[in-house]
Amino acid sequence: SEREEGLRPFEEVKPALRSIALHQKKMEVLAPQVEKFYTSLSPNSDILAAAASLPNIVAQKTGPFRPSGYPANVGRDLKFIGTALGLNVGQISKPVEGTRGYYILKLTAKTPFDTAQFNATKKQLADALLMEKRNAFFTQWLTTLRENATIEDHRQHFYR
C-alpha cells in the first residue's frame, strides 16, 4: 500500500504514545523511592538482603555476562551494561534509569582481559574486518557506478 507523506493521525499513534507516557510517569514516581533506597546503602551493604525488606524492590543476580551479551533478568540494556563496565569490584553504582526500570548495581567479580586469547585470534579478526571493509567498498563502488552509468539501448539493431 502507499501512504501520503505527512503526520500520522493521532488515533493511529495514540496507543504508542500512551505506553510511552505511562512508562515515563512510572519512572518519575519510582525515582524518589530508588534514591531513598540508594542512600540507605553503605559500601559494604548486601543489596539482596537490603532489598528483601522492601516490598516494591526486586533484587536479582545477573551472573556473568559479556559486554556484547544479554545479562540475565535484564536483557540488552546499554545503560546497565555501560554502568557495569565502569564499576570496580565491590563498588555500588548510583541509580541507573534503564529500559525496564531503575538499577543499582554492585559488581562482585570482573574477569580481566585475556591477551593470550586475543593474540591467538587477532589475525582472524583482522582478516574478517578487512573482508567486510572490502565488501562494503565494492558495494559502494558498484552502486555509484550504476547511478552514474549512461546506458544506450541498441537491442533493436541486434534482433533484426
Side-chain angles (χ1 to χ4, degrees), residues 19-158:
S19 67
I20 291 170
L22 186 62
H23 177 74
Q24 288 176 344
K25 286 294 182 185
K26 285 181 182 179
M27 296 302 268
E28 287 174 9
V29 169
L30 286 176
Q33 296 173 14
V34 171
E35 194 61 40
K36 182 180 175 186
F37 176 71
Y38 173 71
T39 56
S40 72
L41 297 173
S42 69
N44 299 325
S45 293
D46 180 9
I47 294 178
L48 296 174
S53 63
L54 299 170
N56 296 338
I57 296 178
V58 177
Q60 300 171 331
K61 288 188 176 187
T62 62
F65 63 90
R66 296 177 185 263
S68 61
Y70 299 92
N73 305 318
V74 176
R76 184 85 172 134
D77 193 329
L78 297 179
K79 289 182 181 178
F80 179 92
I81 294 171
T83 302
L85 290 175
L87 293 175
N88 295 320
V89 176
Q91 187 179 6
I92 297 176
S93 74
K94 292 182 178 180
V96 177
E97 184 178 340
T99 55
R100 295 184 179 178
Y102 284 96
Y103 301 107
I104 298 175
L105 293 80
K106 182 172 185 179
L107 189 66
T108 57
K110 195 173 200 176
T111 306
F113 182 72
D114 188 359
T115 55
Q117 181 184 6
F118 174 73
N119 288 332
T121 59
K122 182 169 47 173
K123 177 81 170 113
Q124 290 101 357
L125 290 171
D127 290 343
L129 288 172
L130 181 62
M131 183 62 73
E132 184 179 324
K133 189 74 168 176
R134 283 180 181 162
N135 288 341
F137 181 77
F138 178 74
T139 303
Q140 181 183 8
W141 172 77
L142 192 59
T143 303
T144 304
L145 191 65
R146 285 182 179 155
E147 288 173 354
N148 296 333
T150 304
I151 300 172
E152 296 179 20
D153 188 7
H154 294 290
R155 287 181 288 185
Q156 74 275 9
H157 299 296
F158 182 75

